[in-house]
Amino acid sequence: MSDVLTTRNMSVARQSIKEPVVVEQAQGHVVVRLHGQMVSAIIAPYNAAFETISNRMVGIERLTFDGSDLNEIDTAGAWLIFRLIRDARGASVEVEYQHMPDDAVDLVDAVTDAVEDHQAKGSSDRKSPALLGWIGRGVVGMMNDAVAALHIFGAAVQGSQMKRGHGSRMSWAPIASQIDKMGVQAIPIIVLMSTIIGAILAQQGAFELGQFGAEIFVVDLVGIITAREIGVLLTAIMVAGRSGSAITAEIGSMKMREEVDALTVIGLNPIGVLVFPRLVALAIALPMLTIVANISAMAGALFVCAFFLGITPESFFDRAHFAIEIKDVLAGLAKAPVMAMFIGIIASVEGMKVGGSAESLGRSVTSAVVKVIFVVIVVDGLFAIFYAGAGI
């Protein structure tokens, strides 16, 4: 079988084959009689005839290919036969061959196998690249975020002068304003949350320790776990959701309105003006809020111990003084500035990513909260591993 016809053969074929496909139909049975050559050079008449048959599958019950007069076929002709068979079977039409040359049947089968293998491989390949692409985009995104975070941290330190060429004096007014918004105004929700958490820990601990008559050790449980882990962790998560989202929204909205570019135009460092005060405020506010959270959690535990466990306040404070060491408190407070830096930097990075649409702003705020909470938990875990290895 040759895929190429000479000019002489092509002209002879066109003269001798006026109707390459003869269709006979009777009582739902269609017979397609193939004539002459089904090769790529003169395939157009076959294509038009097969498309007509494919568009009129309704009412057909059986489709027969009669190759009595078929002299030559190549892959183009086999593809047309395969495509018509596929459409017919898709319409639940029975397909059969009649007097088809063996080489024509073999070529149609080969085309069918090749198409099915390609489709199966394509389906499998689409899943793997999609997964690999998702992983790759995630890794590249993490790298870009890390580079942007380092850039913002370095620019914030460098831009702490607040104004280029105006000396090294640092203005405390914006820092005090941010401390008020991120720290002072967050005290009520931190107190409420920590008090409830402390009460729950005391109640659940007493339920278990009471089986051994050791309710007094509830003070140890709540005090140590609050000072080392729960107080700073829950406070950082609350600040991440409250202040982290606010930082992203504020910087993002300023970027949408091109105020960040305006700061650059007038000679100010946008990072020094927008990010640095927030980082300093978080580094100051988060340890203070952690102390408030620790005290509130112990107050909640004291309430449960006094009213439900019969432990007097004097006994509670005596046990707390014995159980909680200064290193436990410092171990928790040492995490706060580090978590504060991560909260401020990640929220600022997401804010700088905001484009010109409200949808972009909402997406960045959501991403900032999720990333900050995740990083805060990871940092807490790393501190726990370090403390365990250092014996602290």
Side-chain angles (χ1 to χ4, degrees):
M1 294 184 295
S2 175
D3 291 348
V4 181
L5 291 179
T6 63
T7 304
R8 179 177 178 278
N9 291 338
M10 187 183 302
S11 61
V12 170
R14 287 175 177 168
Q15 292 175 1
S16 61
I17 304 177
K18 296 181 180 179
E19 295 182 356
V21 180
V22 177
V23 180
E24 299 177 0
Q25 181 172 0
Q27 297 179 351
H29 182 200
V30 174
V31 180
V32 180
R33 302 189 185 277
L34 308 176
H35 296 268
Q37 296 172 316
M38 289 187 68
V39 292
S40 58
I42 52 174
I43 204 67
Y46 288 99
N47 186 36
F50 280 23
E51 285 185 357
T52 302
I53 299 172
S54 179
N55 294 332
R56 299 178 180 177
M57 284 292 178
V58 179
I60 300 177
E61 298 178 358
R62 186 171 57 174
L63 178 64
T64 301
F65 289 92
D66 187 350
S68 302
D69 299 327
L70 181 63
N71 298 326
E72 186 177 356
I73 187 173
D74 65 358
T75 53
W79 163 255
L80 290 183
I81 294 176
F82 158 75
R83 190 174 64 180
L84 185 57
I85 292 175
R86 181 188 60 189
D87 295 342
R89 288 174 176 169
S92 301
V93 177
E94 181 183 354
V95 180
E96 64 181 5
Y97 293 129
Q98 182 176 340
H99 307 301
M100 284 285 287
D102 293 339
D103 56 352
V105 175
D106 293 341
L107 187 57
V108 173
D109 292 341
V111 169
T112 302
D113 294 339
V115 172
E116 291 177 350
D117 290 344
H118 176 74
Q119 291 176 345
K121 182 180 178 181
S123 176
S124 175
D125 290 345
R126 279 194 296 270
K127 295 179 181 178
S128 297
L131 177 60
L132 294 177
W134 180 79
I135 295 174
R137 285 190 296 271
V139 172
V140 172
M142 291 175 60
M143 292 178 60
N144 293 337
D145 288 346
V147 172
L150 292 175
H151 168 73
I152 284 183
F153 181 72
V157 174
Q158 183 182 11
S160 60
Q161 300 177 5
M162 308 300 288
K163 295 182 179 180
R164 296 174 181 172
H166 288 265
S168 59
R169 185 177 61 86
M170 183 169 55
S171 175
W172 289 95
I175 297 176
S177 175
Q178 294 298 327
I179 292 176
D180 176 65
K181 289 193 294 185
M182 298 178 183
V184 177
Q185 295 181 18
I187 289 177
I189 186 63
I190 295 296
V191 170
L192 177 62
M193 176 196 69
S194 301
T195 302
I196 295 174
I197 293 296
I200 292 174
L201 288 175
Q203 189 272 333
Q204 293 296 321
F207 178 78
E208 296 297 332
L209 295 174
Q211 302 179 35
F212 308 99
E215 293 90 344
I216 190 64
F217 290 105
V218 167
V219 182
D220 301 56
L221 172 67
V222 177
I224 294 175
I225 197 172
T226 299
R228 298 182 66 94
E229 297 290 340
I230 297 298
V232 63
L233 180 60
L234 293 182
T235 302
I237 291 175
M238 184 62 67
V239 171
R242 183 181 181 276
S243 300
S245 60
I247 292 173
T248 303
E250 291 169 1
I251 296 178
S253 61
M254 293 182 69
K255 196 167 185 297
M256 288 174 58
R257 296 193 298 265
E258 299 182 352
E259 295 179 19
V260 175
D261 297 331
L263 289 173
T264 304
V265 170
I266 65 177
L268 297 178
N269 183 349
I271 305 300
V273 174
L274 301 177
V275 177
F276 181 76
R278 290 170 169 81
L279 292 181
V280 175
L282 280 172
I284 296 174
L286 192 55
M288 299 298 102
L289 291 175
T290 300
I291 295 175
V292 173
N294 293 342
I295 296 173
S296 301
M298 294 302 292
L302 174 61
F303 176 82
V304 172
C305 290
F307 288 93
F308 296 97
L309 303 180
I311 300 175
T312 63
E314 292 79 8
S315 300
F316 183 92
F317 287 118
D318 288 341
R319 187 63 198 177
H321 178 72
F322 176 80
I324 304 173
E325 300 180 10
I326 188 64
K327 70 174 185 178
D328 297 323
V329 178
L330 295 179
L333 290 178
K335 304 176 185 178
V338 179
M339 293 180 177
M341 289 296 102
F342 278 105
I343 293 172
I345 291 173
I346 295 175
S348 300
V349 168
E350 293 300 323
M352 290 296 181
K353 288 183 182 179
V354 174
S357 64
E359 180 184 2
S360 175
L361 178 61
R363 185 167 55 248
S364 294
V365 171
T366 302
S367 177
V369 173
V370 173
K371 290 180 179 179
V372 167
I373 292 176
F374 173 77
V375 171
V376 163
I377 295 174
V378 171
V379 169
D380 183 74
L382 294 176
F383 266 101
I385 294 174
F386 171 76
Y387 287 157
I392 299 177

